[in-house]
Amino acid sequence: MRAAIARLRSAAWLGWQIDTNWADPFLFIVYSLLRPIATGLILAGMYWAVSSRVPARGMFTALYLGNAFHNFVTQVVIGMGWIVLEEREEYETLKYVFTSPLGLPMCLAGRSVVKLAIAMFGVVVVMAVGWFALHLTWDWREVRWPELSLALALGVVATVSVGFLVAGLGLLLPRPAIQINEGLAVALYLMCGVIFPIDLLPAWLQSIALALPFTLWYEALRRFLLGHGASARISHWSDATLLGALALSTLAFVAIGRLGYFALETRARRLGRLDQTTLF
Amino acid sequence: MNGRDLALDVRAMRARMYVRVVGSLCEPAWLIGDAVLPNLGMCAFVLLYRALGAPRSFETLAVLGGILSTYWINVLWGMGAQLYWEKQQGQLQLYFVAPCSRMAILTGMAVGGVLMTTLRSVIGIAVGIWIFHIRVAPVGLAELFGIFLVTMSALYALGMTFSSLFLLYGREAWHVCNALTEPMYFLSGMYFPIRALGALGAVAAAVIPLGLGVDAMRQALLGSGAHGLIPLRLEVVALAAFTMLFLWLARVSLAHLELLAKREGRLTQRWQ
């Protein structure tokens, strides 16, 4: 156990060095925050444009919150896909990571810790921008901390699990890896009702959206932080049902992520794709 | 420049354009990725307007923004970062030993980029018309084409300037491109009328051609429903001025930064 923690720490330190050594810390923080803040401001611009005709501040706050937490998916899920791509294509070091005592799964786990920390920082800053600059506020006394903490923890586990699956896909499919990473980011943005209630999706898409942990995660975070969600369909669910569904979906994705990653890695080894460079 | 040099540059331009068009067509995954993915984001923004109960004309704004965002992505990643990709592939030096002008190569890249992005944007137009049922005002095709042309000229001239800057960059190129995506969408009012930003929108439009281009295209297609920033004619003049300015800047900075990159030994430096 102690050895595993030491390896995780080494991988996290390595990840931090790789992710940040191209710039000084201040510049790195600015670059890391620009994208999530700007996405929040785009939503704010859209709201400002229509707010005089259709005041819907409560709904907008809920959607803004979903967008803030989607930073976890962008940073961690997509980031883990990019780790494989960078190691193989750009630095041509993937095979060395595989043969190192650390191993790729531990390297991915460690580096995901760094990405989780960066994502968390981004979420806090985006929420602060919302609170202070856009006046998207809520009543802190109404926040249900135990449920919120549980939902947050489940969402983080789901995020890392899906990240492993994306990394596995990157191992097996070198050429379309960029498209998979970028495609998944926008597909999840649409499918999980990040900035709109999933009720607006066609019925068949709603069923898929409800099976994804992120849809339930955003809805749970909204409910336990603001007191209300965005989706009318999920609003009928009790808190226990919502948390239960989130836990179930997360467990399913933990299993899919673990089994899927190792199956994809084995297949990639067999096909000789671990050091197959296609871009640079 | 004599006639022989001009002929060489035109041939170089055509050759680079050919590579861009054929290269894009040879990679179906990229084609699908570039054509479909930006439209998924666009769908999310349209549904946000729907969730807020906004008038239908705002959905049209978001659709147009989504379509034009594909051009901006191409300007950043296909123009600006292209020399960075070439450097990583180890073939940037070939650009510099070629006898033709670098501007000719960049122009070929830009023309090929516009052609391929226009082909991809058909998907966005189809999504807008058949899924979201957007409506646009009846407009003269020649006028619309003229505005489109001047907008693209300004954007791709800016892309040429970026590409010269990225000669010096290593991994920063990647991060700069990322930093110029969503923040530019916000400052340019890609998914909402730029007027909603007030004075900030006006200042942004004065320095970034994307905002003016988006606003001009919207005004041409939506008329008063576009909630335009300034009269369309003024925007077209400003875009033409931006084109001249960025072409000049690209030429000057390409020459200067090429020299600097050579002096600092960064032209062939990979994995920075």
PDB file of all heavy atoms in Angstrom, chain A residues 6 47 63 67 78 97 100 125-126 129 138 140 149 151 165 180 184 190 209 229 231 254 276-277:
ATOM      1  N   ALA A   6       3.548   5.787  -2.776  1.00  0.00           N
ATOM      2  CA  ALA A   6       4.796   6.440  -3.203  1.00  0.00           C
ATOM      3  C   ALA A   6       4.853   6.560  -4.724  1.00  0.00           C
ATOM      4  O   ALA A   6       5.262   7.586  -5.270  1.00  0.00           O
ATOM      5  CB  ALA A   6       5.990   5.640  -2.690  1.00  0.00           C
ATOM      6  N   TYR A  47     -26.966  35.061 -21.633  1.00  0.00           N
ATOM      7  CA  TYR A  47     -28.025  35.396 -20.684  1.00  0.00           C
ATOM      8  C   TYR A  47     -28.310  36.905 -20.689  1.00  0.00           C
ATOM      9  O   TYR A  47     -29.459  37.334 -20.694  1.00  0.00           O
ATOM     10  CB  TYR A  47     -27.636  34.914 -19.279  1.00  0.00           C
ATOM     11  CG  TYR A  47     -28.662  35.273 -18.237  1.00  0.00           C
ATOM     12  CD1 TYR A  47     -29.946  34.718 -18.274  1.00  0.00           C
ATOM     13  CD2 TYR A  47     -28.380  36.185 -17.233  1.00  0.00           C
ATOM     14  CE1 TYR A  47     -30.902  35.063 -17.336  1.00  0.00           C
ATOM     15  CE2 TYR A  47     -29.325  36.536 -16.290  1.00  0.00           C
ATOM     16  CZ  TYR A  47     -30.588  35.977 -16.341  1.00  0.00           C
ATOM     17  OH  TYR A  47     -31.533  36.321 -15.426  1.00  0.00           O
ATOM     18  N   LEU A  63     -27.643  26.298 -14.573  1.00  0.00           N
ATOM     19  CA  LEU A  63     -26.922  25.894 -15.777  1.00  0.00           C
ATOM     20  C   LEU A  63     -25.455  26.343 -15.700  1.00  0.00           C
ATOM     21  O   LEU A  63     -24.545  25.627 -16.122  1.00  0.00           O
ATOM     22  CB  LEU A  63     -27.606  26.483 -17.025  1.00  0.00           C
ATOM     23  CG  LEU A  63     -29.062  26.041 -17.213  1.00  0.00           C
ATOM     24  CD1 LEU A  63     -29.694  26.751 -18.403  1.00  0.00           C
ATOM     25  CD2 LEU A  63     -29.174  24.532 -17.381  1.00  0.00           C
ATOM     26  N   ASN A  67     -21.986  24.053 -15.899  1.00  0.00           N
ATOM     27  CA  ASN A  67     -20.857  24.396 -16.771  1.00  0.00           C
ATOM     28  C   ASN A  67     -19.556  24.485 -15.968  1.00  0.00           C
ATOM     29  O   ASN A  67     -18.506  24.030 -16.418  1.00  0.00           O
ATOM     30  CB  ASN A  67     -21.147  25.722 -17.466  1.00  0.00           C
ATOM     31  CG  ASN A  67     -20.046  26.102 -18.423  1.00  0.00           C
ATOM     32  OD1 ASN A  67     -19.839  25.436 -19.425  1.00  0.00           O
ATOM     33  ND2 ASN A  67     -19.313  27.144 -18.089  1.00  0.00           N
ATOM     34  N   ILE A  78     -10.730  14.244 -20.631  1.00  0.00           N
ATOM     35  CA  ILE A  78     -10.070  14.536 -21.898  1.00  0.00           C
ATOM     36  C   ILE A  78      -8.558  14.628 -21.673  1.00  0.00           C
ATOM     37  O   ILE A  78      -7.762  14.201 -22.501  1.00  0.00           O
ATOM     38  CB  ILE A  78     -10.611  15.858 -22.503  1.00  0.00           C
ATOM     39  CG1 ILE A  78     -12.155  15.858 -22.485  1.00  0.00           C
ATOM     40  CG2 ILE A  78     -10.084  16.108 -23.899  1.00  0.00           C
ATOM     41  CD1 ILE A  78     -12.806  14.637 -23.088  1.00  0.00           C
ATOM     42  N   VAL A  97       7.487   4.576 -20.469  1.00  0.00           N
ATOM     43  CA  VAL A  97       6.574   4.615 -19.313  1.00  0.00           C
ATOM     44  C   VAL A  97       6.082   3.188 -19.023  1.00  0.00           C
ATOM     45  O   VAL A  97       6.013   2.766 -17.864  1.00  0.00           O
ATOM     46  CB  VAL A  97       5.377   5.558 -19.586  1.00  0.00           C
ATOM     47  CG1 VAL A  97       4.376   5.512 -18.440  1.00  0.00           C
ATOM     48  CG2 VAL A  97       5.857   6.981 -19.786  1.00  0.00           C
ATOM     49  N   SER A 100       8.763   1.197 -17.326  1.00  0.00           N
ATOM     50  CA  SER A 100       9.255   1.734 -16.049  1.00  0.00           C
ATOM     51  C   SER A 100       8.550   1.015 -14.891  1.00  0.00           C
ATOM     52  O   SER A 100       7.471   0.452 -15.079  1.00  0.00           O
ATOM     53  CB  SER A 100       8.997   3.235 -15.975  1.00  0.00           C
ATOM     54  OG  SER A 100       7.617   3.448 -15.804  1.00  0.00           O
ATOM     55  N   VAL A 125     -12.738  28.999  -9.080  1.00  0.00           N
ATOM     56  CA  VAL A 125     -12.592  30.340  -9.667  1.00  0.00           C
ATOM     57  C   VAL A 125     -13.817  30.697 -10.526  1.00  0.00           C
ATOM     58  O   VAL A 125     -14.339  31.818 -10.443  1.00  0.00           O
ATOM     59  CB  VAL A 125     -11.285  30.430 -10.498  1.00  0.00           C
ATOM     60  CG1 VAL A 125     -11.222  31.742 -11.273  1.00  0.00           C
ATOM     61  CG2 VAL A 125     -10.074  30.314  -9.589  1.00  0.00           C
ATOM     62  N   VAL A 126     -14.295  29.738 -11.316  1.00  0.00           N
ATOM     63  CA  VAL A 126     -15.470  30.022 -12.168  1.00  0.00           C
ATOM     64  C   VAL A 126     -16.692  30.328 -11.300  1.00  0.00           C
ATOM     65  O   VAL A 126     -17.476  31.246 -11.597  1.00  0.00           O
ATOM     66  CB  VAL A 126     -15.751  28.827 -13.131  1.00  0.00           C
ATOM     67  CG1 VAL A 126     -17.059  29.031 -13.868  1.00  0.00           C
ATOM     68  CG2 VAL A 126     -14.613  28.681 -14.129  1.00  0.00           C
ATOM     69  N   VAL A 129     -16.267  33.790  -9.974  1.00  0.00           N
ATOM     70  CA  VAL A 129     -16.607  34.784 -11.011  1.00  0.00           C
ATOM     71  C   VAL A 129     -18.132  34.916 -11.095  1.00  0.00           C
ATOM     72  O   VAL A 129     -18.684  36.019 -11.169  1.00  0.00           O
ATOM     73  CB  VAL A 129     -16.006  34.374 -12.386  1.00  0.00           C
ATOM     74  CG1 VAL A 129     -16.570  35.230 -13.514  1.00  0.00           C
ATOM     75  CG2 VAL A 129     -14.482  34.497 -12.354  1.00  0.00           C
ATOM     76  N   TRP A 138     -26.471  31.973  -4.175  1.00  0.00           N
ATOM     77  CA  TRP A 138     -27.388  31.042  -3.534  1.00  0.00           C
ATOM     78  C   TRP A 138     -27.256  31.196  -2.024  1.00  0.00           C
ATOM     79  O   TRP A 138     -26.341  31.862  -1.537  1.00  0.00           O
ATOM     80  CB  TRP A 138     -27.103  29.604  -3.975  1.00  0.00           C
ATOM     81  CG  TRP A 138     -25.693  29.171  -3.748  1.00  0.00           C
ATOM     82  CD1 TRP A 138     -25.173  28.636  -2.608  1.00  0.00           C
ATOM     83  CD2 TRP A 138     -24.608  29.268  -4.685  1.00  0.00           C
ATOM     84  NE1 TRP A 138     -23.836  28.393  -2.790  1.00  0.00           N
ATOM     85  CE2 TRP A 138     -23.457  28.754  -4.052  1.00  0.00           C
ATOM     86  CE3 TRP A 138     -24.494  29.712  -6.005  1.00  0.00           C
ATOM     87  CZ2 TRP A 138     -22.217  28.693  -4.674  1.00  0.00           C
ATOM     88  CZ3 TRP A 138     -23.261  29.638  -6.624  1.00  0.00           C
ATOM     89  CH2 TRP A 138     -22.142  29.141  -5.972  1.00  0.00           C
ATOM     90  N   TRP A 140     -26.242  29.927   1.378  1.00  0.00           N
ATOM     91  CA  TRP A 140     -25.335  28.913   1.924  1.00  0.00           C
ATOM     92  C   TRP A 140     -25.997  28.084   3.019  1.00  0.00           C
ATOM     93  O   TRP A 140     -25.609  26.945   3.253  1.00  0.00           O
ATOM     94  CB  TRP A 140     -24.069  29.583   2.477  1.00  0.00           C
ATOM     95  CG  TRP A 140     -23.150  30.065   1.384  1.00  0.00           C
ATOM     96  CD1 TRP A 140     -22.990  31.350   0.972  1.00  0.00           C
ATOM     97  CD2 TRP A 140     -22.296  29.275   0.553  1.00  0.00           C
ATOM     98  NE1 TRP A 140     -22.091  31.412  -0.081  1.00  0.00           N
ATOM     99  CE2 TRP A 140     -21.645  30.140  -0.347  1.00  0.00           C
ATOM    100  CE3 TRP A 140     -22.023  27.915   0.471  1.00  0.00           C
ATOM    101  CZ2 TRP A 140     -20.745  29.704  -1.312  1.00  0.00           C
ATOM    102  CZ3 TRP A 140     -21.115  27.463  -0.484  1.00  0.00           C
ATOM    103  CH2 TRP A 140     -20.496  28.365  -1.364  1.00  0.00           C
ATOM    104  N   SER A 149     -21.242  16.537  -0.598  1.00  0.00           N
ATOM    105  CA  SER A 149     -19.904  15.924  -0.528  1.00  0.00           C
ATOM    106  C   SER A 149     -19.931  14.536  -1.155  1.00  0.00           C
ATOM    107  O   SER A 149     -19.015  14.167  -1.904  1.00  0.00           O
ATOM    108  CB  SER A 149     -19.430  15.810   0.921  1.00  0.00           C
ATOM    109  OG  SER A 149     -19.543  17.049   1.541  1.00  0.00           O
ATOM    110  N   ALA A 151     -22.052  13.397  -3.420  1.00  0.00           N
ATOM    111  CA  ALA A 151     -22.227  13.543  -4.878  1.00  0.00           C
ATOM    112  C   ALA A 151     -20.903  13.950  -5.531  1.00  0.00           C
ATOM    113  O   ALA A 151     -20.529  13.420  -6.577  1.00  0.00           O
ATOM    114  CB  ALA A 151     -23.310  14.579  -5.171  1.00  0.00           C
ATOM    115  N   LEU A 165     -10.920   4.944 -19.526  1.00  0.00           N
ATOM    116  CA  LEU A 165     -11.489   4.380 -20.755  1.00  0.00           C
ATOM    117  C   LEU A 165     -11.020   5.171 -21.982  1.00  0.00           C
ATOM    118  O   LEU A 165     -10.644   4.596 -23.011  1.00  0.00           O
ATOM    119  CB  LEU A 165     -13.019   4.429 -20.650  1.00  0.00           C
ATOM    120  CG  LEU A 165     -13.796   3.572 -21.625  1.00  0.00           C
ATOM    121  CD1 LEU A 165     -13.509   2.102 -21.389  1.00  0.00           C
ATOM    122  CD2 LEU A 165     -15.290   3.819 -21.475  1.00  0.00           C
ATOM    123  N   ILE A 180     -11.199  11.634 -30.942  1.00  0.00           N
ATOM    124  CA  ILE A 180     -11.917  10.994 -29.833  1.00  0.00           C
ATOM    125  C   ILE A 180     -11.912  11.917 -28.618  1.00  0.00           C
ATOM    126  O   ILE A 180     -12.950  12.151 -27.994  1.00  0.00           O
ATOM    127  CB  ILE A 180     -11.274   9.628 -29.481  1.00  0.00           C
ATOM    128  CG1 ILE A 180     -11.541   8.634 -30.613  1.00  0.00           C
ATOM    129  CG2 ILE A 180     -11.811   9.077 -28.160  1.00  0.00           C
ATOM    130  CD1 ILE A 180     -10.780   7.332 -30.482  1.00  0.00           C
ATOM    131  N   LEU A 184     -15.356  13.648 -27.604  1.00  0.00           N
ATOM    132  CA  LEU A 184     -15.987  13.261 -26.345  1.00  0.00           C
ATOM    133  C   LEU A 184     -16.291  14.490 -25.493  1.00  0.00           C
ATOM    134  O   LEU A 184     -17.335  14.557 -24.839  1.00  0.00           O
ATOM    135  CB  LEU A 184     -15.042  12.319 -25.598  1.00  0.00           C
ATOM    136  CG  LEU A 184     -15.743  11.351 -24.673  1.00  0.00           C
ATOM    137  CD1 LEU A 184     -16.559  10.351 -25.465  1.00  0.00           C
ATOM    138  CD2 LEU A 184     -14.738  10.633 -23.810  1.00  0.00           C
ATOM    139  N   LEU A 190     -22.978  18.143 -24.671  1.00  0.00           N
ATOM    140  CA  LEU A 190     -24.343  18.125 -25.203  1.00  0.00           C
ATOM    141  C   LEU A 190     -25.197  17.074 -24.494  1.00  0.00           C
ATOM    142  O   LEU A 190     -26.341  17.327 -24.124  1.00  0.00           O
ATOM    143  CB  LEU A 190     -24.304  17.839 -26.712  1.00  0.00           C
ATOM    144  CG  LEU A 190     -25.646  17.788 -27.445  1.00  0.00           C
ATOM    145  CD1 LEU A 190     -26.280  19.169 -27.483  1.00  0.00           C
ATOM    146  CD2 LEU A 190     -25.476  17.283 -28.862  1.00  0.00           C
ATOM    147  N   ALA A 209     -28.652   9.833 -21.868  1.00  0.00           N
ATOM    148  CA  ALA A 209     -28.119  10.846 -20.949  1.00  0.00           C
ATOM    149  C   ALA A 209     -28.293  10.415 -19.494  1.00  0.00           C
ATOM    150  O   ALA A 209     -27.412  10.619 -18.662  1.00  0.00           O
ATOM    151  CB  ALA A 209     -28.813  12.180 -21.198  1.00  0.00           C
ATOM    152  N   GLY A 229     -32.814  21.552  -9.153  1.00  0.00           N
ATOM    153  CA  GLY A 229     -32.043  21.129 -10.316  1.00  0.00           C
ATOM    154  C   GLY A 229     -32.472  21.905 -11.551  1.00  0.00           C
ATOM    155  O   GLY A 229     -33.127  22.948 -11.436  1.00  0.00           O
ATOM    156  N   SER A 231     -33.506  19.886 -14.532  1.00  0.00           N
ATOM    157  CA  SER A 231     -34.366  19.009 -15.311  1.00  0.00           C
ATOM    158  C   SER A 231     -35.675  18.720 -14.579  1.00  0.00           C
ATOM    159  O   SER A 231     -35.668  18.280 -13.417  1.00  0.00           O
ATOM    160  CB  SER A 231     -33.629  17.692 -15.580  1.00  0.00           C
ATOM    161  OG  SER A 231     -34.534  16.698 -15.960  1.00  0.00           O
ATOM    162  N   VAL A 254     -17.043   2.609 -13.237  1.00  0.00           N
ATOM    163  CA  VAL A 254     -15.775   2.151 -12.644  1.00  0.00           C
ATOM    164  C   VAL A 254     -15.417   0.795 -13.253  1.00  0.00           C
ATOM    165  O   VAL A 254     -14.276   0.554 -13.675  1.00  0.00           O
ATOM    166  CB  VAL A 254     -15.885   2.056 -11.102  1.00  0.00           C
ATOM    167  CG1 VAL A 254     -14.690   1.296 -10.522  1.00  0.00           C
ATOM    168  CG2 VAL A 254     -15.955   3.451 -10.491  1.00  0.00           C
ATOM    169  N   GLN A 276       3.238   3.540 -31.937  1.00  0.00           N
ATOM    170  CA  GLN A 276       2.930   3.900 -33.325  1.00  0.00           C
ATOM    171  C   GLN A 276       2.657   5.408 -33.416  1.00  0.00           C
ATOM    172  O   GLN A 276       1.606   5.876 -32.978  1.00  0.00           O
ATOM    173  CB  GLN A 276       1.693   3.132 -33.776  1.00  0.00           C
ATOM    174  CG  GLN A 276       1.485   3.146 -35.274  1.00  0.00           C
ATOM    175  CD  GLN A 276       0.251   2.340 -35.649  1.00  0.00           C
ATOM    176  OE1 GLN A 276      -0.863   2.752 -35.382  1.00  0.00           O
ATOM    177  NE2 GLN A 276       0.445   1.206 -36.263  1.00  0.00           N
ATOM    178  N   THR A 277       3.611   6.148 -33.955  1.00  0.00           N
ATOM    179  CA  THR A 277       3.410   7.598 -34.055  1.00  0.00           C
ATOM    180  C   THR A 277       2.760   7.922 -35.403  1.00  0.00           C
ATOM    181  O   THR A 277       3.100   7.336 -36.425  1.00  0.00           O
ATOM    182  CB  THR A 277       4.724   8.377 -33.919  1.00  0.00           C
ATOM    183  OG1 THR A 277       5.625   7.869 -34.880  1.00  0.00           O
ATOM    184  CG2 THR A 277       5.309   8.228 -32.541  1.00  0.00           C
TER     185      THR A 277
END
